[in-house]
Amino acid sequence: VIVVCVAALVSLGLVVLFSASSPIKGGPYAYLYKQFIFLALAIGAGWLVAIAAYCLGLLSFVAGQWAWGHWGV
C-alpha cells in the first residue's frame, strides 16, 4: 500500500514539475531528466541501505513487529 502511495506522489510531483517548468529556458524536459536521475539514485541508495541492514542483522522480523536486532529495543 505504501509503495503505491509513494509512486502516486512521485508521479504527481513529476507532472507538476513538468507543467511548471515549460516556460523556462531549456524546456520542461531538462528538469524532468534531472528528476529521473535523482529518483533512480534515491531508489538505488534505498535498496543498498535495505540490503545492508538485512545482511548486517540490524532489523529482524519478530512476532509481526519490527525490532532492532542487537540493541533489543
Side-chain angles (χ1 to χ4, degrees):
V1 173
I2 194 164
V3 174
V4 173
C5 292
V6 169
L9 287 173
V10 167
S11 300
L12 179 65
L14 288 173
V15 168
V16 169
L17 178 71
F18 183 77
S19 64
S21 63
S22 60
I24 295 176
K25 181 181 176 185
Y29 293 104
Y31 286 103
L32 195 63
Y33 181 68
K34 288 179 189 177
Q35 289 298 313
F36 276 123
I37 288 173
F38 284 109
L39 177 64
L41 289 173
I43 289 171
W47 181 77
L48 286 175
V49 168
I51 295 299
Y54 178 75
C55 289
L56 293 174
L58 297 177
L59 295 174
S60 60
F61 191 71
V62 179
Q65 297 177 354
W66 285 101
W68 289 96
H70 336 319
W71 296 299
V73 175

